[in-house]
Amino acid sequence: MQNEIVTLDGPAGAGKSTVAKLVAKQLGFKYLDTGATYRATTLSIIKKMISIEDKKSLINLLDSIKIDFDIDGNVLLDNERVTNDIRTKTINSFVSQVSALQVVREYMVNLQRRITESGQYVVDGRDIGTVVLPNAFYKFYIDADVNERARRRHEEEISKGIKTTFEEVKKSVEDRDKYDSSREISPLTVPHDADVINTSIMSIQEVVTEIVLKVNYIKHKNIQ
Ligand code: CDP
């Protein structure tokens, strides 16, 4: 049993990362954004102009890639800060193809397990409760209606100065949903033992409160 880990899985734009950061803060846990590891890998593949069909080059890249997080939550790729560079339209449109590759998943799952093996963590992603950390004690699946998810993601991108339309964002979210849910290896699914929270009409704070209360309740029940 691994009772110091909270897993948050779910589709794009469900609010996982915002919720995860706040839950981690309230519980005094650290936060791991596993999506960032796939995004950073995608950025590296693009920068190095490697074809994803070229397995040898891909393995070379994975052997040498260095993905870290600093204490402010910035993502570092080979010691360079890439927090914003991994959230562009180009990365959004390519990341699901990269994350569907078995060799990429093997490396990233190892990295994610290594990072979380000591300490208390809130971990968000697509396969955390099912594959990466199946023994985690507190599992959640965060979902929301696709229009609401696209609306949230559109608002987020506009606030970051990214030029885009609601329709474009909705299509990108739907494409990624389709790809992530239908891939052969570790597809996005609801862990059988997860609490499912539909956040379509909930505020961020309501979701955070629900998760923190549930974690504290389970913790308390197990201490007794
Ligand atoms: O924030 P958003 O939900 O848009 O995506 P993300 O969590 O940054 O993940 C980006 C992509 O990485 C997803 O669309 C998946 O293709 C992949 N991913 C994955 O396969 N497994 C994970 N544990 C996390 C992300």
Side-chain angles (χ1 to χ4, degrees):
M1 186 172 74
Q2 196 168 11
N3 56 0
E4 299 300 313
I5 302 273
V6 178
T7 69
L8 297 186
D9 287 304
K16 292 184 308 285
S17 62
T18 313
V19 166
K21 276 182 212 151
L22 291 167
V23 168
K25 201 167 169 205
Q26 282 204 21
L27 292 173
F29 286 18
K30 288 185 234 167
Y31 165 56
L32 174 63
D33 173 1
T34 63
T37 67
Y38 293 99
R39 288 175 178 274
T41 305
T42 306
L43 178 62
S44 186
I45 288 173
I46 293 172
K47 275 185 167 172
K48 295 189 172 152
M49 295 196 287
I50 287 171
S51 154
I52 57 172
E53 258 103 69
D54 179 356
K55 204 167 167 192
K56 206 166 155 221
S57 301
L58 205 51
I59 290 175
N60 281 340
L61 178 143
L62 289 164
D63 273 335
S64 63
I65 200 170
K66 196 167 170 288
I67 299 171
D68 297 298
F69 296 87
D70 70 13
I71 45 163
D72 299 319
N74 285 304
V75 187
L76 307 177
L77 169 64
D78 300 327
N79 301 318
E80 196 189 318
R81 193 183 287 185
V82 293
T83 317
N84 296 326
D85 305 346
I86 60 169
R87 307 213 169 266
T88 60
K89 284 188 206 174
T90 311
I91 302 290
N92 282 344
S93 64
F94 193 34
V95 63
S96 289
Q97 289 171 59
V98 172
S99 73
L101 300 169
Q102 177 160 18
V103 62
V104 171
R105 298 208 76 80
E106 275 169 19
Y107 273 75
M108 291 308 126
V109 169
N110 277 337
L111 172 69
Q112 293 155 14
R113 287 185 181 146
R114 246 190 352 259
I115 294 176
T116 54
E117 77 192 350
S118 59
Q120 301 160 302
Y121 272 90
V122 177
V123 189
D124 79 357
R126 301 288 189 286
D127 60 339
I128 310 305
T130 49
V131 175
V132 182
L133 301 163
N135 298 325
F137 208 46
Y138 314 111
K139 294 187 190 176
F140 297 89
Y141 186 89
I142 312 279
D143 207 348
D145 171 77
V146 68
N147 280 310
E148 177 57 18
R149 289 190 284 118
R151 190 195 64 75
R152 291 175 188 169
R153 188 47 59 91
H154 180 235
E155 207 170 76
E156 190 184 328
E157 294 192 354
I158 293 292
S159 76
K160 283 186 192 155
I162 299 173
K163 284 201 179 70
T164 186
T165 64
F166 170 79
E167 284 70 30
E168 198 181 353
V169 174
K170 185 174 171 190
K171 166 109 184 32
S172 152
V173 163
E174 283 175 333
D175 286 349
R176 256 186 324 126
D177 280 0
K178 224 178 278 164
Y179 221 104
D180 293 344
S181 312
S182 62
R183 69 182 175 220
E184 251 171 65
I185 315 150
S186 311
L188 168 67
T189 48
V190 184
H192 71 91
D193 48 356
D195 243 305
V196 179
I197 305 178
N198 188 320
T199 69
S200 300
I201 53 162
M202 289 173 86
S203 69
I204 298 281
Q205 200 45 56
E206 282 171 331
V207 184
V208 172
T209 304
E210 183 166 335
I211 293 176
V212 170
L213 281 177
K214 279 189 174 145
V215 169
N216 283 334
Y217 173 74
I218 299 169
K219 207 172 195 168
H220 188 71
K221 221 171 66 180
N222 282 303
I223 292 170
Q224 281 182 336

